[in-house]
Amino acid sequence: MRPIDIRSPDGETLRRELLPGRTLVGRLHDCDLVLAQKQVSRRHAAITLRDDGAVIVEDLGSQNGTYVNGRRIAAPTEVGPEDSIQIGDFTLRVGAERLQPDLPWQESGDLRLPQVALVDGAQVSAGGVNQEVITDNPILGRLRALGALGGGPPAAGEAELAPGDDPLALFLRISDLLATAPSLQHFLDQVLGLLMALTRSEAGAIVLEDPEGQVTPMAACTSGRREGTEVPLSRSIVRAAIEARGVVATHDATHDARFGARESVNLQNLRSVLCAPLFTEAGAAGAVYLTRPPGGYTETEQETVAAIAHLSAMQIERARLRERTQQQEQLRRALSRFHAPEVVERVIAQQAAQGEVRSHLEEAVATVLFADMVGFTALAEALPPERLGALLNDFYRTLTKVVFDLGGTVDKYIGDCVMALFGVPISRPDDTLRAVDAAVRMRRRFEALCETRYPDLPLALRIGINTGSVVAGTVGSELRLEYTALGDAVNVAQRLEAAADPGQILVGPETYEAVKDYFDVRPMGAMKVRGRRGSVEAYAVQDAPDRPLPTHPGT
């Protein structure tokens, strides 16, 4: 092995060991040496330590090139201690001395192998790592005996924890946090701060695992000061703890047989690391990760952190369930204003399947309807605010009821216009017929509304309908989530509505083909639609169907 010094763009120099063979350098996480910078290609270069001690640098076709002593290399180049390697804004230098591992060794024929110890059935480095299955934790057993985790009184002859090591007071604090934390984030911050103080760690993080198995730091602290996720974190150690379902504790991670070759360990110069998984009956929730200078964590510290992690995992699961329930209820209230009940439940089910409230889009064929109140803009300047508001509410209420009666979705209200969808998120064979039937009913009911409540106002309805491919679904965030549709079919429907005369219903060619046998539809010729190169054939729907429609709700 040879030392290699890595000078980062901010001037900090870190040392790691260059192992015999080929070391892949790049931006991807699966590289042996990860240099996280845009100027570094995904797989940028390779550094090879040959058996004769020579070090060869090779560029792998990177975009910005690999430089030795300021000159871009085009072929494999040997480097020595006096040479500098530039990759992006990083400068690398390979040391002259050979490094010998400081692990204890045992002879085995012609090979020199590290001694290993078998702990709980897992083979790990005797000089570096301890591993403990979390369910065998004696503190958890003690807590169960005291009733904190269920169970009866202490068993006869059970060993007592020494007063100086007894962490039960800590669990009272954890229990208090379980009951009083206003949010999951507050709970994680408080637990991490407690563990940092308890173990005298220099840095720590609590990472949570998403449904895809990716871990994300949710709470982080370094040197007693919170700094988001700026914590030296080895995902390989986190993954090892989660997969083993047990505590991983290393006295010196850089010399651990399993982690020493990982870039995240060496580049960050990780030494003593303690990682305890967060497990519930539902599976892995994440991990607690702590690090400090060499020397290792005591057995009591390991057991205590593991027990606190177990208690924390239960709270995390409860908090997640509570947040999902609250989010679903907020989503249900928001969507119920615009969607039929069956549509609302479909969207809620999709979000529940995803495990969180987030955007969800899918391609589909839908019929899009735009209905606009002609004359409203001019009236807005003349009518008193109270009457103007009453008119707008009556308009929305009348048209929305028609859409819901026919199983459609009110996408949005746009001033004095209503946008509705048929065919998403629930598709039916007669969606296009429903949309045109809805348009005819809208026109008839709006005319009746104007005759009875607003006979003195010059109002009319114009509607545009088009059928085609859309991308539809929920968009936004947990604070504001909406169901909408996007695509050319939406644009054409809106342009048809703008081109329609007062009282007219215009439909596109795909809609016409689906309804021509049921409605009196007359061709209006080609129309130029803004945003499209070609024209669109438009058809005007006269009135009620010429023949009975297939049975659907509301007919």
Side-chain angles (χ1 to χ4, degrees):
M1 291 184 290
R2 299 273 289 277
I4 180 170
D5 293 330
I6 305 159
R7 184 177 176 84
S8 63
D10 59 8
E12 183 180 1
T13 300
L14 300 174
R15 170 166 288 198
R16 65 158 292 176
E17 296 161 358
L18 185 64
L19 301 176
R22 192 169 186 259
T23 296
L24 184 62
V25 183
R27 198 173 71 240
L28 288 181
H29 291 294
D30 60 359
C31 292
D32 300 304
L33 175 57
V34 178
L35 302 179
Q37 189 184 52
K38 291 183 179 179
Q39 291 85 343
V40 179
S41 296
R42 296 181 177 181
R43 292 180 176 85
H44 194 108
I47 303 176
T48 301
L49 176 58
R50 298 194 318 209
D51 293 339
D52 60 2
V55 178
I56 308 299
V57 178
E58 177 185 2
D59 186 78
L60 300 180
S62 65
Q63 181 176 357
N64 295 317
T66 302
Y67 295 79
V68 174
N69 300 326
R71 300 184 62 180
R72 186 166 184 167
I73 62 174
T77 302
E78 183 174 356
V79 295
E82 71 282 357
D83 297 316
S84 64
I85 306 166
Q86 291 84 39
I87 298 177
D89 291 332
F90 291 86
T91 301
L92 290 67
R93 289 184 181 273
V94 180
E97 71 273 21
R98 290 173 175 264
L99 297 177
Q100 295 295 335
D102 57 3
L103 294 174
W105 294 90
Q106 61 182 9
E107 299 296 332
S108 177
D110 295 331
L111 300 177
R112 301 175 70 246
L113 302 176
Q115 294 179 0
V116 296
L118 198 62
V119 181
D120 291 328
Q123 217 177 33
V124 295
S125 167
V129 171
N130 297 320
Q131 184 167 300
E132 174 197 352
V133 177
I134 197 167
T135 54
D136 295 336
N137 190 298
I139 293 180
L140 284 179
R142 175 63 174 154
L143 286 173
R144 290 191 183 94
L146 292 175
L149 297 178
E158 183 182 57
E160 295 287 342
L161 293 172
D165 295 333
D166 193 342
L168 296 182
L170 295 173
F171 297 110
L172 293 178
R173 294 181 60 185
I174 294 294
S175 298
D176 183 61
L177 289 175
L178 293 175
T180 62
S183 66
L184 175 59
Q185 185 62 57
H186 183 270
F187 173 77
L188 296 178
D189 290 338
Q190 294 295 313
V191 169
L192 180 60
L194 181 66
L195 291 174
M196 291 278 292
L198 172 69
T199 61
R200 304 177 305 283
S201 296
E202 286 190 346
I206 295 179
V207 299
L208 298 185
E209 189 174 61
D210 63 22
E212 287 75 33
Q214 299 298 315
V215 292
T216 303
M218 298 300 295
C221 184
T222 180
S223 300
R225 175 170 54 88
R226 283 179 173 76
E227 297 182 356
T229 58
E230 296 300 320
V231 167
L233 179 70
S234 171
R235 294 182 183 272
S236 59
I237 293 178
V238 171
R239 181 54 53 194
I242 292 176
E243 291 178 353
R245 300 178 68 96
V247 174
V248 170
T250 172
H251 298 288
D252 189 340
T254 59
H255 290 133
D256 175 71
R258 294 180 300 169
F259 311 122
R262 298 297 298 179
E263 178 275 335
S264 59
V265 170
N266 288 276
L267 188 59
Q268 299 172 30
N269 198 30
L270 295 178
R271 297 298 179 178
S272 293
V273 175
L274 172 59
C275 187
L278 299 167
F279 263 95
T280 67
E281 293 182 358
V288 173
Y289 183 95
L290 302 169
T291 181
R292 68 186 186 193
Y297 289 86
T298 67
E299 183 176 349
T300 298
E301 288 174 330
Q302 295 176 38
E303 294 170 351
T304 302
V305 171
I308 291 177
H310 183 78
L311 292 177
S312 300
M314 294 188 293
Q315 166 64 5
I316 290 170
E317 185 64 23
R318 286 196 294 266
R320 282 178 162 176
L321 178 60
R322 184 170 59 251
E323 288 182 355
R324 285 196 298 267
T325 302
Q326 292 173 348
Q327 289 173 351
Q328 289 179 2
E329 184 57 32
Q330 292 172 356
L331 180 62
R332 180 177 283 105
R333 288 198 301 266
L335 295 179
S336 296
R337 296 178 298 164
F338 305 105
H339 306 281
E342 59 183 353
V343 175
V344 173
E345 295 309 315
R346 170 74 176 271
V347 174
I348 294 294
Q350 289 177 343
Q351 299 300 327
Q354 293 171 357
E356 60 178 327
V357 175
R358 61 180 181 180
S359 61
H360 175 80
L361 296 171
E362 59 185 356
E363 293 186 7
V365 175
T367 299
V368 186
L369 180 153
F370 281 87
D372 179 69
M373 182 164 46
V374 182
F376 180 82
T377 303
L379 290 173
E381 300 178 1
L383 289 179
E386 295 81 3
R387 194 176 189 207
L388 189 68
L391 170 61
L392 199 57
N393 286 334
D394 285 341
F395 168 74
Y396 288 151
R397 188 180 301 111
T398 300
L399 271 59
T400 299
K401 186 177 187 309
V402 172
V403 173
F404 283 9
D405 285 347
L406 291 169
T409 294
V410 174
D411 182 290
K412 59 176 64 72
Y413 300 140
I414 313 170
D416 58 346
C417 180
V418 172
M419 175 183 171
L421 305 172
F422 292 83
V424 288
I426 300 174
S427 177
R428 304 178 182 86
D430 61 341
D431 284 318
T432 305
L433 285 173
R434 290 169 180 263
V436 176
D437 190 10
V440 173
R441 296 189 190 194
M442 287 177 179
R443 182 169 58 184
R444 185 185 307 123
R445 293 185 187 182
F446 185 72
E447 290 174 352
L449 173 69
C450 293
E451 289 177 2
T452 56
R453 298 198 59 179
Y454 307 99
D456 56 324
L457 301 181
L459 297 171
L461 198 65
R462 64 185 180 197
I463 300 175
I465 304 175
N466 189 52
T467 304
S469 296
V470 299
V471 176
T474 49
V475 295
S477 69
E478 64 274 9
L479 299 178
R480 180 176 175 84
L481 202 66
E482 294 182 348
Y483 191 92
T484 191
L486 309 168
D488 183 61
V490 178
N491 177 54
V492 171
Q494 190 172 24
R495 301 309 174 195
L496 288 172
E497 175 268 307
D501 294 329
Q504 191 175 46
I505 301 171
L506 290 183
V507 302
E510 291 82 1
T511 306
Y512 166 76
E513 290 296 331
V515 305
K516 63 183 180 180
D517 294 334
Y518 295 92
F519 291 87
D520 179 8
V521 184
R522 300 179 184 178
M524 302 299 293
M527 290 187 175
K528 185 67 177 178
V529 175
R530 189 173 63 185
R532 300 187 91 211
R533 293 181 179 178
S535 58
V536 174
E537 292 292 329
Y539 301 83
V541 179
Q542 298 307 301
D543 207 337
D546 288 339
R547 53 182 287 195
L549 295 177
T551 301
H552 55 238
T555 60

